[in-house]
Structures are given as C-alpha cells and as structure tokens.
Amino acid sequence: MKKNHLLSLLAGLSLCAASCGGPTAETDAVIPRPASVEKCSGACRLASPLALSFDAPAEVADALTAYLRTTPLAVRTDDPQASDGYLRLTVAASPELPASEEGYVLSVLPEGVSVASRGEAGLFYGIQTLLQLQEQFGDRIPAQRITDSPRFSYRGMHLDEARHFFGKEFVKKQLRMMASLKLNRFHWHLTDGAGWRIEIDRYPELTELAAWRPIEGWQPWLDAGRPYCRRDDPNAYGGFYTKDDIREVVAYADSLHITVIPEIEMPGHSEEVLAVYPHLSCAGKPHVYDDFCIGNDATFEFLENVLEEVMELFPSEYIHVGGDEATKKGWPTCPKCRARMQREGLKDVDELQSYAVHRLEAFLNARGRRLLGWDEILQGGLAPNAAVMSWRGESGGREAAASGHPVVMVPGSYCYLDKYQGNPSTEPEALEGSVPLPKTYMYEPAPQDMPGRERVLGVQANLWTERIATPEYAEYMLYPRVFAVAEIAWSAPELKDYEDFRRRALMRIDAVRAKGYNTFDLAGSVRGERPESLEEVRHLAVGCPVTYASEWYEGYPADGPGSLTDGKLGSWTYGYRWLGFLNTDVEATVDLGAVKPIREVKADFLQWRSAFIGLPKRVEIAVSADGERFTVLGGEENDLPFDDPKLQCRAFGWTGEAEARYVRCHAFSHGHPGGWLFIDEIIVN
C-alpha cells in the first residue's frame, strides 16, 4: 500500500473518532449487532451515485465493484477523487483496525462513507452494514463510526433439499439473505432417503430414479413404503442439480463470501441409493435396510467415486458425510459385515460405523479435504481429524471439543428451525417440538465452563423439510430465527439483549418482506413458549407425593417422580416438563396428606400425530380416604381422532364436590402400538 494512502486512512479514522462520542443507546436496526457503534454529529446524505474509490488490490476492487452494481447502493467510478459524496474502500494492515480479516471499520461522515479492513471479506461485511443502514434511513444516514468483527469463524445455515427440491434460484435468494446477515457457511443437504439431488456422471440412475418419487408429500410417501419412480413418470415429483447448476451456485456463493459445504449422507438415510443399487445393501435387495453394507468393498468404491465428483464441484475444506441415525439393523447378521468386523478386530456395530468413518476420512484427507459429520460419528471412536456437528443436544459437541476436535454447535432444541416457532395449534404443520425466537436467541454455543470451548468453530441454523414443501413456507420457518443465529454467531455474548434484538428484528422483517421474502408474523405472535408454562400453578397437590402403577419411559422423565405435582406445566415441546409413557396407561395417585374437600381434578395431555403421541382414550378420576377403597367420581372421553395432524393440548378431568386424601388419575392408552401418552401435572383444587 502506498504510504500517502495509508496516512489518509489513519487520518480519516482519527477524524471520525475525534468527532464521535462514546457508545450510546442503540437506535440502528443492524443485524447482527455490531461490536461498537459511536454516534457522531450530523448525517451523511448519500449521493446518487456515490463516487467509488479503492485502496486495495485490483482483484478486490473488481470483485466489490461488480457486487456493488447489484445492490441499491448506486456507485460511479469515473471520478474517484470526488471530495464529498464518496464511498472509499481500503485494505490496510493498520493497528487501528480489527485483527480479523472479516472485521471492519465503517465511518459515516457528512462528507462521505469509508470502509476499512485487513481483507476483502471485511470490506464486504462493512458494505452489508451500510446497506442495512440505507434500508433503515434512506439516503440520509446518521453520522457514526462502527467497529466490528465476528465472534466465530463458522456462521452457518443449512438447507435440506432431499425431502423437497426448491431449485437454484431459491437457493441463490437465501444466499443473498445469508450474506446480508454476515453468515458465511451454507450447508447443503443434497442426499437422503427421500431424494438424491446431485448429478453424478458415473451413476446416472441416481438422478434418473433416486431423485424422483410418485408421491409429493413426505409423510404420505413414507406411509406408502417409500416408493421411487423414473424421471419420465407422469407422477414424478423431485428434481436434481446438474453439475452446471452446482458450479453456478458455488460461484455465486463465493462472490458473497459464502463457502458451500455439501452433505452426502452415509451410511444411514441411504435408502434412495439402495433402491437403485441394491447390491450395496446387506440384504442385496431394495426396501429392506436404510444403511449401506459396510462389509462390502463395493460400498466404498461407490462412496469414493461419488466423493471424487463432489470434490470436483465443491472447493470447500470440509465435506459433510452425515453419519447420523444409522439403524445398523442389517450389520449384526450380514456375513460381509461380520467378516469385516472379525478382520478389523471390531467388537460391535458402533465400531463398524467408526471404521467406515475413519476410512472415508483418510480418503478425504489424502485429497486435502476434511471430514465433517453429525455427532453420531463419535460412536465407536472418532476419526483423528474429523470435525463434529453436534445436533443431539450439546454433549457430543462438548465431548469432541474436550478431546481436541473442531465443533459446530447445532443443538436441535435451539437451532432446528423446522420446529414450531409459535403456538402449534395455530401454526402450519411443523416437526414436533417448539423453538420460539427467544429460545434460539438466548443460545450460547461456547459457555465459559465448556472444556475445549476454543475448539468451537461456530453455530448453524438447520432447516429440515419433511413438512416444509414450498419455498414460501421454508422462508416462513427460516426468518426471523436465522436473524437470531446470525447474531449469536457474529456478536459478542455480552451484547445480547432480546428486547433490543426483537425491536431490530421487527424492522428487519419489514425490509426483507419488501424484497420478496416471506417471514413469520413476529409482531402478531404470542411471544415465547406456551404461556401456561411460564408461571407456576398453585393447587392443593403441589409438593405432594405421587405413586405410579406403571413406569414412565426413561427418555422422557420430566423432573422425576414429583413431576406431576411440582406446580409446573409443560411447554409446547413434549420433551420439557412432560412425563412420557410408551404403550401403557398412565395411573398416578396423589397423597394430599389428609382428607380435604376438593372441587376439581384435571390433567393436561398432548396429541402430536407426527410423533405418535395421542390423547388418552378416556381419563377417569377416583378418590379414597384410606388409599385402599377408591370411588370413581367421573371421567371424560376423548373425541379427537388419533390421526388429527395438529398439536393439541387438552385438559381431562372432573368437577364437583367431594372429600379425599388420595386422588387417582387414570388415563387409558389410545391403543395404538408404539404410541405415547404425555402428561404434565395433576391439578387438584
């Protein structure tokens, strides 16, 4: 860099610092929230066009000039020496600038705007902040100095196109949104049982047959036995990306400083491959198992050939190989798998999966790439250079980080955006569970007490599309929750303030809707969790002991034996404060400690068809003075069909006049094998 240009940069930064005060109350609507905002006197009236000048390498100037011409920020390059109405972009190694090449200093002064950074990415992100300020304030932006840099290097968004195919224009639209939010990793889930979405020259049947199904809806397709059809079938539903499509998307993402990470699912979730290449299954025929046969050398020949073509298309350091939810059902009895286990000295099927992951990692490492997988790749021993994406809570991420492995945190209870974000009874159908905006926003990926927290690369928002069939609904589920993930990933945790974030999110929603994005109705929604779960309920049975005629399922214990009399009602997520029972009645008896007059006994139950949770067939209330002889006071029948798709939370019980020490609530199972009953509290008044 020429000396006079560097001196000019430093002088501009000093001038801005001198004319600006200390941090003030946040009034801008920028998301993610910048590290430091200093308000200055006056405002900058953006000229149209702005005189654009660079002090940066030619390739940086060319790339950013091309990008700026696609934005509402009008620029001209014919008079870069203009004294006012300018936009100056500078790359420098000044100590005045953030150390990260993604960091920047944005100075908005009455005479013009300057962005300075140590690298092109920082200039790009400074431009994103300027564009958000322009959206908010128009052509008259309050003078200010913003110093900013990211918390995490990995700031991601995931899209599942295996269940439903949306096409490259939709993907490019979401990449633009990602860039505006300073997200830099697009995790593209391209293969799964419901469809193969990437052209592979060596295996044309993957896109002639495995990419298509004769039933549009994912659940009906599942219920029908997961059939596939050929591309030319008149009922064919699906699609795939050609190699030229992939190259176009990857290049477009690169222009927005986004790395595309492909996911090729293995060894489970692979029934679409096994439908067209059944010799890769332990059964040797389709529609039996979901997993590749790990004992078969042809499996690794196939996977390596596919990965070779994938790596030709995607320059990303990481290649995601899935690794989640392998059923492993065929492996224990498969002669080839058993022979592999004996040869390799593997004691169980978890170690067999680990063998596959190790082998694929060595293949990728030899080609300069790294393996990324879901936290199940920890089972049986983690490959030495693998990175873990922790989705089943945080324990997998904590374990991997503590052992020195890179980690991306994506726990489903915070980052899975296919779950409900409002009242499930009034929202479109989603995956069971609730992840409202405040819950996502308050997530902390690398808390101070986490061993190996420095190994956390970042955080990611995941959108699975089992029940999300249209582009409009996908956006509805993404936004504004992706705004929250972007702020978690970029901004320092001490800056988090949900009320301020919500204010900015509401303003940002208006801006992105004007650009044609669909969003959740944040302004009109009930805020947060199920309202009944936010305050404790007082009643006669609070703190009283409970005895059970049948055991609850160990995976859904709520808070243990006292859960039904702790005064706490369940959320919209059945895994929180709900006591779960599998294939059995619920019969619980509360001891009030003495005979007391009672007027009401009731309990809440859930129905959630997609999770096979049903309301009880009948609830019966009985009372006793001695715990031996019970009198049935009454009951209530359920009239809601088990296949009703909407979440329902209903109270069943009795009202009247009685006296009792012991109160028994008997909820009769709905009778569907594999079905659940969930109860949150027995309320006695």
Side-chain angles (χ1 to χ4, degrees), residues 397-417:
R398 285 176 171 265
E399 178 184 343
S403 62
H405 288 267
V407 171
V408 179
M409 300 300 285
V410 292
S413 56
Y414 295 95
C415 298
Y416 270 38
L417 308 189

Side-chain angles (χ1 to χ4, degrees), residues 180-255:
S180 76
L181 296 167
K182 305 181 178 70
L183 296 170
N184 66 352
R185 298 290 188 276
F186 177 56
H187 174 180
W188 208 359
H189 189 80
L190 289 166
T191 74
D192 212 304
W196 182 280
R197 306 299 181 209
I198 176 172
E199 182 180 35
I200 301 296
D201 293 335
R202 189 157 181 159
Y203 301 106
E205 287 296 289
L206 293 174
T207 46
E208 286 299 313
L209 178 59
W212 309 92
R213 60 185 193 248
I215 300 170
E216 180 174 340
W218 177 82
Q219 188 67 51
W221 170 78
L222 208 65
D223 295 341
R226 308 179 187 188
Y228 303 92
C229 65
R230 302 204 71 83
R231 183 179 181 179
D232 58 1
D233 189 298
N235 295 317
Y237 174 81
F240 66 93
Y241 290 102
T242 67
K243 289 193 168 183
D244 284 343
D245 291 335
I246 297 284
R247 293 185 186 101
E248 181 181 337
V249 169
V250 169
Y252 188 72
D254 184 65
S255 75

Side-chain angles (χ1 to χ4, degrees), residues 435-509:
V435 181
L437 182 64
K439 186 174 184 180
T440 296
Y441 183 75
M442 295 313 296
Y443 177 56
E444 172 47 55
Q448 290 291 334
D449 64 350
M450 177 180 178
R453 65 190 296 267
E454 70 279 359
R455 304 294 294 173
V456 176
L457 300 177
V459 63
Q460 177 173 286
N462 278 18
L463 186 69
W464 301 98
T465 61
E466 286 93 338
R467 292 170 177 81
I468 299 172
T470 67
E472 294 77 17
Y473 188 27
E475 290 181 348
Y476 180 89
M477 298 298 277
L478 286 168
Y479 311 118
R481 289 183 290 185
V482 169
F483 301 174
V485 174
E487 189 145 312
I488 294 166
W490 182 277
S491 305
E494 59 268 20
L495 295 177
K496 289 170 77 170
D497 178 336
Y498 178 72
E499 289 305 319
D500 177 69
F501 169 77
R502 186 174 186 275
R503 174 189 65 79
R504 288 178 285 124
L506 287 168
M507 298 177 72
R508 189 87 180 109
I509 282 171

